[in-house]
Amino acid sequence: MSKNSFLKEAMYENHPQYQQAISRNEALYQRKNDLRSPFSRDYNRIIFSLGYRRLKHKTQVFFAVEDDHVCTRSEHVNLVDSVSYTIAHYLGLNTELTRAIAVGHDLGHAPFGHGGEKIINQISKEHGLQDFWHEKNSLYFVDEIETLEDDHHIRRNLNLTYAIRDGIISHCGEMNQKSIQKRNEYIDLKDYQYPGQYNPYTWEGCVVKMSDKIAYLARDIEDALRLNIIDEKQVEQLKKEINMISSYHFDAINNGTIVNYFILDVCQNSSLEKGICLSDEAFEVMKKMMSFNYKNIYLIDRIEVHTNYVQLILNSIFQFLYKYETIAKENQINVIETLKNDQKKYPITIQGYIHWLEKYSQMRDFKRNTHYQNHIIYDFDNDSKAMVKSIIDYLSGMSDAYILKIFNEFISFS
């Protein structure tokens, strides 16, 4: 495929769907001297947010590791940014759009990786809420949770463009797709019922979705080697098996080699007819690597032990906070006032949760700070699930480090 082959379909001002792509749910305040495009502005809004900062202490695959060189969620989104930029730049697509989708795509990922995601989903369903899955939660976080201060110290929601919000919820990197075609329908993104239900609305979103998988396959192998979860013999065997099905000869299985192989293949095989596409050979290589990772990394016994540990932590914190709803009703005062009674006993846990409620809630005998002009999402006076929703959101936004800090407060008696 020749360079710039997607240029006519890139999401720029001359694209027929551009106005829909840059549409926002609400008007965004403007500065007279702002030089940025809507997508560039959204990229900045994402990386300036608190949720983006917390990614540096969120698990990618291996949790709470003190080794600085093991991949975190923050490094992962930046790797996806890098991979998608290279592919989009070659194909002639809008790299400002791919960059913004990439850095925002995991903003609502649960702590402790996919293990934490499964446990929060269990808690959610046990209490009558919808399934919890991180792509949907990432959209929810950029729509409802994350805020920025404007020029007058007013906290407002990120209010991102449609194309970026769509790319975030459409990114599902666990799917086995050889080719990804963009969809043409402009849908309500709240209609998503499960991961991967729809393809992205833009070719740029398709590039990020493919890049997500490219970015983590070999990186997870490098970390597993570093942590002695797998050994060099296993990787050598994987290399032999891949070289048996590949015309390209791999001398090494590492992140640089694998990322370069897949990027070149996507650039050479993608077209408007086939979509953002891998060759048959590269798709087989990808499936071989995915199978290796699941068998030797993602589904090993140590992961089950880790899951049990995380389950104890998340359930303990949830039950601790959830009891305050009953206490508040018994004492006929609001939840915030009830929590304040135990603030000295559990300063880290309760202060953080009170701040969360103050920012997003309405309840009797409570007045929000006027600096908060973001959406109210917990109506304690009219929604019986407000308490459950607030705790699940609070947990899902936490970093691993902060959750462990809270849990240690529970088990410490110093």
Side-chain angles (χ1 to χ4, degrees), residues 157-359:
N157 293 95
L158 294 187
N159 191 21
L160 303 179
T161 52
Y162 180 84
I164 291 167
R165 296 172 57 243
D166 170 80
I168 286 171
I169 195 171
S170 302
H171 81 262
C172 186
E174 283 72 52
M175 297 179 67
N176 278 326
Q177 285 181 281
K178 177 189 167 190
S179 174
I180 307 171
Q181 282 279 355
K182 76 177 285 291
R183 73 170 197 279
N184 287 314
E185 300 80 19
Y186 181 87
I187 63 171
D188 186 340
L189 298 177
K190 293 180 180 177
D191 289 344
Y192 258 93
Q193 299 299 313
Y194 55 87
Q197 182 178 359
Y198 300 102
N199 278 347
Y201 184 64
T202 64
W203 285 116
E204 288 83 357
C206 296
V207 167
V208 174
K209 185 172 184 176
M210 183 68 79
S211 301
D212 187 23
K213 195 177 299 185
I214 293 173
Y216 73 69
L217 279 173
R219 190 67 185 81
D220 293 349
I221 290 173
E222 286 186 343
D223 284 348
L225 271 172
R226 188 176 185 88
L227 297 170
N228 297 314
I229 290 168
I230 58 175
D231 57 38
E232 292 287 356
K233 288 183 180 179
Q234 290 171 287
V235 179
E236 279 297 309
Q237 180 59 36
L238 173 64
K239 186 177 76 173
K240 288 179 183 177
E241 293 175 11
I242 288 177
N243 280 329
M244 289 176 65
I245 60 175
S246 171
S247 57
Y248 176 88
H249 182 78
F250 288 89
D251 292 316
I253 301 295
N254 56 38
N255 202 45
T257 302
I258 296 298
V259 164
N260 183 66
Y261 169 78
F262 283 123
I263 286 176
L264 287 174
D265 190 86
V266 170
C267 289
Q268 290 166 359
N269 289 280
S270 296
S271 69
L272 296 175
E273 294 72 31
K274 293 190 295 182
I276 302 302
C277 189
L278 291 163
S279 65
D280 291 340
E281 176 188 294
F283 187 49
E284 291 303 314
V285 172
M286 181 173 279
K287 288 193 291 184
K288 175 71 72 174
M289 291 189 68
M290 185 71 75
S291 176
F292 175 88
N293 284 15
Y294 270 95
K295 178 182 177 181
N296 298 288
I297 300 172
Y298 307 145
L299 299 178
I300 60 174
D301 291 342
R302 284 171 69 177
I303 296 298
E304 185 177 354
V305 173
H306 162 247
T307 300
N308 292 336
Y309 175 56
V310 171
Q311 193 161 22
L312 170 65
I313 293 172
L314 291 175
N315 277 304
S316 297
I317 298 172
F318 178 86
Q319 293 300 334
F320 174 83
L321 294 173
Y322 188 52
K323 71 184 180 187
Y324 283 96
E325 182 175 51
T326 302
I327 297 170
K329 289 177 180 177
E330 289 173 350
N331 292 282
Q332 296 185 336
I333 56 176
N334 68 46
V335 172
I336 290 176
E337 293 304 316
T338 304
L339 287 159
K340 286 179 179 178
N341 292 331
D342 284 345
Q343 199 166 348
K344 289 184 179 179
K345 295 180 186 176
Y346 305 98
I348 299 171
T349 308
I350 290 182
Q351 283 177 15
Y353 184 50
I354 286 175
H355 176 67
W356 188 269
L357 293 180
E358 288 174 340
K359 188 174 181 180

Side-chain angles (χ1 to χ4, degrees), residues 43 47 52 73-91 94-105 204 207-216 219 255-256 259-260 262-264 266-267:
Y43 171 83
I47 65 171
Y52 179 79
R73 189 69 53 181
S74 179
E75 182 191 338
H76 169 70
V77 301
N78 289 320
L79 287 171
V80 176
D81 178 3
S82 173
V83 173
S84 61
Y85 177 89
T86 304
I87 296 172
H89 180 69
Y90 181 84
L91 296 178
N94 188 330
T95 55
E96 289 183 344
L97 177 52
T98 57
R99 296 200 72 195
I101 296 171
V103 295
H105 82 275
E204 288 83 357
V207 167
V208 174
K209 185 172 184 176
M210 183 68 79
S211 301
D212 187 23
K213 195 177 299 185
I214 293 173
Y216 73 69
R219 190 67 185 81
N255 202 45
V259 164
N260 183 66
F262 283 123
I263 286 176
L264 287 174
V266 170
C267 289

